[in-house]
Amino acid sequence: MKKTIDGIDHYQMFIGGEWVSSSSGEMIDVINPANEELIARVPAGTAEDGRRALEAAQAAQPKWAAVPARKRGELLLELADRIRQNREHLARLLTLEQGKTYSLALGEIDATVDYIAFPAQCARRIEGEIVPSDEPKEHIWIHRVPYGVTVGLAAWNFPVALAGRKFGPSLTAGNTMVVKPPSITPIATLEIGRLAEDLLPPGVLNIVTGGGSTIGKELVSNPITRLVTMTGSVETGRQLYHLAAENITAVRLELGGKAPFIVMEDADLDHAVSCAVVSRFLNCGQVCTCNERMYLHEAIHDAFVEKYVEKVKALKIGDPFDPATDIGPKVSRDEVEKIDAMVKQAVADGCELVCGGKRPEGEMFQKGFWYEPTVLVGARNDMAVMRDEIFGPVVPIAKVSSFEEALALANDSDFGLAAYVFTHDMRRVERLVEELDFGEIYVNRPIGEQRQGFHNGFKLSGVGGEDGKHGLENYLQKKTFYVRYG
């Protein structure tokens, strides 16, 4: 799986039940975002490696689909249990490679277990249908069957959880999968292969690493692949859509978000403030469903901002392994430079910088990818900071005079993933069903979906969706029989 050279772990890829190096022999450096130190190297997989992984998945799929659903579920539950038993080790790797706090990394591993266990527990609930025929002595049977070979592309913010979110239901449904974690945060996901290698049949789960333009392109465009599921940026989703179109490959995309956080005059202010803090700064703001723009009713705007800024200034930024730390580093230098440019542009456009807006001071912040939690007020919907995904510890705030104005401004976006609304007026809540164009809406509560729900976005935020019974159904296609028995 790996060997240590000069104190650095050099990983291999998991293909067909074996650990293999890239056909090119080239490696990718994995950097600790807290201090910019090299922590591991992984293979720079090639198109040839991608084909090899797909062929291994293709060879394994018929036998895997023939395994009774109950048995497939039991094997995946065993894998979930092994992940649980390695919770601390995997969480440590996550913190080292991605920079999230260790407590959040532990939570990610717990979520990974749940993402695998939930569909595995539903294995015996995969149902078909029998419907009446228009013809005499005939039945119509509709079976749900696997697609075949699937590909799972995970994002760098929650790489292990997103991998489990994809291969859990896919394998439960009888598909096989090739998983490609992001090159910037791949090592904890590769460790899943170690836990699966003596449990799952060879080729059922494969884990490869490398660039999107090389091995990633091959995985999506190869005709062996019958379904691709990806979590990532809108731009990457567009490219994937084009590549998949050649073979009419099914796609499931969970893309960017620009979640509005609406607080009305009748809301519980202290509760809304606390929810707004965690919903923005969780994982240094690197969550697709994070609070990305706030709309505060004018009656509570000033009081809310005062309370909010006080809590934001109290957040501790620092060593992600320190239990007292609230915010770790951003994942990369490019990410820090992007959000810093957005803040500077917002100020130039007329926003007032209330706090943050720079790299924190101190010896420990001389290296690494750090940015202070930042609050901007006086934002308008025509500003880039209100329209483009920030994906960092920065939040712009706008003032509104009515519920109708808040809805109109919230909907005035290319994105439609998550939204937050705080009000005690149930008439307003009921209106959200028809009037707020987002796939996942949190009412009077902070960030965090549940496995039995359904996670999906509208507009540029994606197609398909994940989690719950509907997420499992996304990995199944329908096969219809017209059975004449007379």
Side-chain angles (χ1 to χ4, degrees), residues 244-290:
E246 180 66 26
N247 296 306
I248 317 296
T249 302
V251 295
R252 308 284 183 261
L253 303 176
E254 197 263 84
L255 307 178
K258 190 67 180 174
F261 195 101
I262 299 170
V263 184
M264 298 310 298
E265 76 284 359
D266 65 331
D268 180 332
L269 207 59
D270 289 334
H271 175 64
V273 167
S274 296
C275 291
V277 172
V278 69
S279 300
R280 171 67 278 184
F281 299 106
L282 181 75
N283 198 24
C284 197
Q286 299 167 133
V287 189
C288 56
T289 53
C290 258

Side-chain angles (χ1 to χ4, degrees), residues 397-440:
I397 298 176
K399 184 187 295 186
V400 296
S401 59
S402 68
F403 185 61
E404 288 71 23
E405 182 184 9
L407 291 183
L409 293 173
N411 287 330
D412 180 23
S413 174
D414 293 331
F415 298 97
L417 185 56
Y420 302 80
V421 179
F422 286 75
T423 179
H424 287 304
D425 187 338
M426 284 305 296
R427 292 169 298 182
R428 289 171 170 169
V429 175
E430 290 289 342
R431 288 175 59 184
L432 301 177
V433 176
E434 295 181 351
E435 297 182 42
L436 193 55
D437 297 332
F438 292 81
E440 188 167 283

Side-chain angles (χ1 to χ4, degrees), residues 335-352:
E335 282 291 308
V336 171
E337 291 175 350
K338 179 197 76 174
I339 63 172
D340 188 54
M342 293 183 76
V343 170
K344 286 181 169 60
Q345 184 61 53
V347 173
D349 289 341
C351 279
E352 177 189 350

Side-chain angles (χ1 to χ4, degrees), residues 319-331:
D319 178 4
F321 283 103
D322 184 346
T325 295
D326 298 302
I327 300 178
K330 285 284 291 174
V331 75

Side-chain angles (χ1 to χ4, degrees), residues 370-420:
W370 304 93
Y371 205 80
E372 290 184 349
T374 300
V375 178
L376 299 159
V377 298
R380 303 185 312 272
N381 248 39
D382 62 345
M383 294 178 177
V385 75
M386 293 289 279
R387 307 201 67 79
D388 300 333
E389 187 173 31
I390 301 168
F391 219 63
V394 177
V395 61
I397 298 176
K399 184 187 295 186
V400 296
S401 59
S402 68
F403 185 61
E404 288 71 23
E405 182 184 9
L407 291 183
L409 293 173
N411 287 330
D412 180 23
S413 174
D414 293 331
F415 298 97
L417 185 56
Y420 302 80

Side-chain angles (χ1 to χ4, degrees), residues 146-162:
Y147 277 84
V149 175
T150 63
V151 167
L153 307 176
W156 50 257
N157 57 334
F158 291 96
V160 178
L162 292 172

